[in-house]
Amino acid sequence: QVQLVESGGGLVQAGDSLRLSCAASGRTFSIEAMGWFRQAPGKEREVVARITWRGGNTFYADSVKGRFSISRDTAKNTVYLEMNSLTLEDTAAYYCAARTFASVEYRYWGQGTQVTVSS
């Protein structure tokens, strides 16, 4: 089992920056990759960014490329999402998720943190 706890969400204005954190605990040695997902009201959940735990290889959704940056601190078992130049379209509940070597799916999810961007 892997437990995930997100933090760092809030209310910001368009153009502002925000950093989300996700702390992992439990069987962290089994983590193969971690990702940030988001879900806006009335929309499906979408991947924002992913990072492999050991190699640090990253993937970004087209909508956030050049604005968001995912990173991880393996010593702290924490993954971060640095969000810059936020727009109204970035308003959503953001979720951290972990994928282990035993699964192709993201099986472990945090409780989510709300990011609201106002004009």
Side-chain angles (χ1 to χ4, degrees):
Q1 293 282 348
V2 175
Q3 293 79 43
L4 303 172
V5 178
E6 302 105 332
S7 61
L11 173 63
V12 296
Q13 291 188 325
D16 284 352
S17 298
L18 202 60
R19 188 175 82 155
L20 305 182
S21 300
C22 175
S25 60
R27 298 173 62 89
T28 57
F29 60 87
S30 66
I31 295 175
E32 189 271 332
M34 293 186 72
W36 286 98
F37 297 75
R38 68 185 181 186
Q39 187 167 20
K43 295 187 177 181
E44 293 186 354
R45 185 175 62 196
E46 62 176 355
V47 61
V48 176
R50 299 192 301 258
I51 188 167
T52 59
W53 198 242
R54 295 183 181 178
N57 297 312
T58 59
F59 164 86
Y60 295 94
D62 288 342
S63 58
V64 306
K65 279 182 181 176
R67 300 189 299 121
F68 289 14
S69 177
I70 188 170
S71 62
R72 87 272 190 251
D73 185 332
T74 55
K76 295 181 178 180
N77 291 321
T78 300
V79 65
Y80 304 96
L81 185 68
E82 186 75 36
M83 305 184 292
N84 299 310
S85 302
L86 285 162
T87 70
L88 300 181
E89 288 69 37
D90 295 317
T91 295
Y94 283 71
Y95 298 89
C96 171
R99 185 176 73 208
T100 67
F101 289 98
S103 175
V104 297
E105 298 178 346
Y106 284 83
R107 296 183 60 183
Y108 301 101
W109 293 82
Q111 81 286 356
T113 185
Q114 179 67 34
V115 172
T116 302
V117 184
S118 65
S119 59

